[in-house]
Amino acid sequence: MSPKDFDKARSALAAVLDGIANRQGIRVVCGDTEVGSEVDAYSLKDVELRGGGGTDMGRLIQREADQPDKPQLILCVTDGHTPWCEDVGIPTLVCITRSSTKTPPSWMHSYKITEQ
């Protein structure tokens, strides 16, 4: 993702963290082909967005779905240039930061983040 994509990701994540009151925080996982950081966040300042390219969001989504403490919702922010996984049985919202020829699978809900 480009610096502009990371800015869009930060804005999307800040909106989610600011809009959902949760005393336990929201688990935020950042990475590319592997997890780069994982934290229970209460605000954007708790999160370090990490990744270095070659992202496989399908792999990260599947990893979260396989956790013993399954999430109620998966929010994925990506530039869209990534492989996807099969249906994990958890509602998944994909926020895409730019145009991509790789569209998310039909079981995911997707939203294109427009210019700020």
Side-chain angles (χ1 to χ4, degrees), residues 52 56 92:
D56 187 342
T92 302

Side-chain angles (χ1 to χ4, degrees), residues 12-70:
L13 185 55
V16 169
L17 291 168
D18 291 345
I20 298 175
N22 187 329
R23 288 184 288 155
Q24 298 164 344
I26 295 173
R27 183 171 53 207
V28 177
V29 178
C30 301
D32 42 44
T33 57
E34 298 293 331
V35 172
S37 66
E38 185 171 4
V39 64
D40 290 333
Y42 300 90
S43 71
L44 188 60
K45 70 179 191 282
D46 299 326
V47 178
E48 181 183 354
L49 292 180
R50 299 174 82 185
T55 307
D56 187 342
M57 295 309 295
R59 186 174 180 178
L60 295 178
I61 290 168
Q62 187 66 58
R63 176 193 179 271
E64 289 309 301
D66 291 342
Q67 296 297 312
D69 185 19
K70 295 189 184 315

